[in-house]
Amino acid sequence: PLCPSVTFEHLLPAQSSQTLFDFCSTRPFATMTSFASLPAILQPKEEDIQMMLSAGVHTGTRNSDSGMQEYIWRRRNDGVHILNIGKTWEKLVLAARVIVAIENPEDVIAISARPYGMRAVLKFSHYTGAQSIAGRFTPGTFTNQITKQFREPRLLIVTDPRTDSQAVKEASYVNLPVIAFCDSDSPLQFVDVAIPANNKGKYSIGLLYWLLSREILRLRGSVSRAGDWDVPVDLFFHRDVEELKKSEEEQAQKTDDGAAVAPTYDEAMPDAVDPAVAGEGAAAIGFEAGDAAAYGTSWEGGDQAAAATEW
């Protein structure tokens, strides 16, 4: 079993709480645990499955497309479709192998018009060397050579085939292969490699791009499979402007509170001062003041100061 201790109350009906071992042993889900099409080195780890489940990668929508039926495992009582995580992992590995097969990493373009995927696309392009288009896709980017942003990539990665339909349509005009993260209701027209996953949640999108980036770097040999990738997955998550402002205000308030509380030295200072010590200190201060008065006028600066006052 991948993780025999995790329960699935949020995924299964309340009356049938099962562990992951029982969850994976059911007949429709048995193909997920075997991964017969993948070699042993490409098998997922227990932590990977836990992260995908906690991010909600398996959660689909209430609607389903006819082309996505083979990727849907079952449907919950509330009508939400559950995607097969095993096929999600297999398609992630397949997509990584396709991307690595391209010699120049800059010939790959990752696109996301959805706000939750903009940060993930930028981080993906930063760590893998690919290009990115975050935000609105300008029509004619792949077909009109007059446009300033005209590009001729060899591979296109799309966050949502429905939101990025213009890019997928233009890719079909120029014979450009498309890799897309597809939900249960996503259209598969002109999509060559469909990765079944939740493409509407910010945690799901960030985790998917993080897993894809890590697998690409592992296949290239930049990252070892023995250890963990030093890049945290939090960098790929979308961050709202309001949340950033709120965190900054809280941090500024903490710093102000820390500066307002002054340290106290009551315990360190003595309650009474010895008169003899006080007299010696006064004598020393008077001696230093006398020296300054006696020798101050003989300095060059003292003469200039005296002349300035006379003037």
Side-chain angles (χ1 to χ4, degrees), residues 36-301:
S37 60
L38 295 177
I41 193 64
L42 299 179
Q43 298 287 338
K45 295 182 180 180
E46 177 183 338
E47 294 80 6
D48 300 333
I49 300 298
Q50 287 181 349
M51 291 174 64
M52 294 172 69
L53 291 173
S54 61
V57 176
H58 60 283
T59 307
T61 60
R62 295 179 183 272
N63 301 325
S64 64
D65 190 83
S66 59
M68 292 293 296
Q69 289 296 329
E70 58 177 319
Y71 302 114
I72 297 174
W73 174 62
R74 60 176 293 180
R75 192 175 186 180
R76 294 192 311 202
N77 293 337
D78 56 356
V80 177
H81 293 85
I82 303 301
L83 301 174
N84 194 330
I85 294 184
K87 295 186 177 181
T88 301
W89 180 266
E90 291 179 356
K91 285 303 187 74
L92 272 174
V93 175
L94 175 62
R97 294 171 64 183
V98 171
I99 296 171
V100 171
I102 296 179
E103 296 84 0
N104 188 8
E106 294 184 355
D107 289 339
V108 180
I109 291 185
I111 295 178
S112 176
R114 190 181 294 275
Y116 284 170
M118 292 181 183
R119 183 181 175 89
V121 162
L122 294 175
K123 293 296 181 180
F124 172 81
S125 62
H126 172 71
Y127 289 108
T128 61
Q131 300 184 43
S132 63
I133 299 178
R136 181 180 180 273
F137 177 80
T138 304
T141 302
F142 299 151
T143 56
N144 191 356
Q145 299 180 1
I146 302 177
T147 57
K148 296 181 179 179
Q149 299 179 354
F150 177 72
R151 302 184 185 183
E152 292 181 294
R154 296 184 58 189
L155 182 64
L156 180 64
I157 303 174
V158 170
T159 304
D160 188 355
R162 192 181 302 278
T163 308
D164 305 317
S165 59
Q166 180 66 27
V168 175
K169 192 174 183 179
E170 290 190 11
S172 65
Y173 295 158
V174 295
N175 295 330
L176 187 63
V178 177
I179 298 174
F181 294 106
C182 300
D183 212 329
S184 61
D185 60 347
S186 298
L188 299 183
Q189 189 179 16
F190 306 130
V191 175
D192 299 284
V193 179
I195 303 174
N198 178 12
N199 58 10
K200 296 176 176 58
K202 62 179 180 179
Y203 298 114
S204 175
I205 295 175
L207 178 61
L208 288 170
Y209 273 104
W210 183 81
L211 291 172
L212 185 60
S213 304
R214 187 187 66 174
E215 191 64 29
I216 291 171
L217 296 179
R218 283 179 174 180
L219 292 175
R220 289 177 180 172
S222 303
V223 178
S224 175
R225 292 185 181 274
D228 297 334
W229 192 23
D230 56 354
V231 177
V233 68
D234 299 346
L235 294 179
F236 287 72
F237 291 158
H238 172 74
R239 303 184 65 183
D240 296 331
V241 180
E242 296 180 357
E243 294 180 358
L244 291 176
K245 290 182 179 179
K246 188 179 294 184
S247 61
E248 290 177 359
E249 291 176 358
E250 292 177 355
Q251 189 173 3
Q253 186 176 1
K254 288 181 180 179
T255 54
D256 294 341
D257 295 342
V261 178
T264 57
Y265 301 96
D266 296 339
E267 298 180 358
M269 295 180 63
D271 296 336
V273 181
D274 191 1
V277 177
E280 292 177 359
I285 295 173
F287 175 74
E288 293 178 357
D291 292 344
Y295 299 101
T297 56
S298 63
W299 296 341
E300 185 177 359

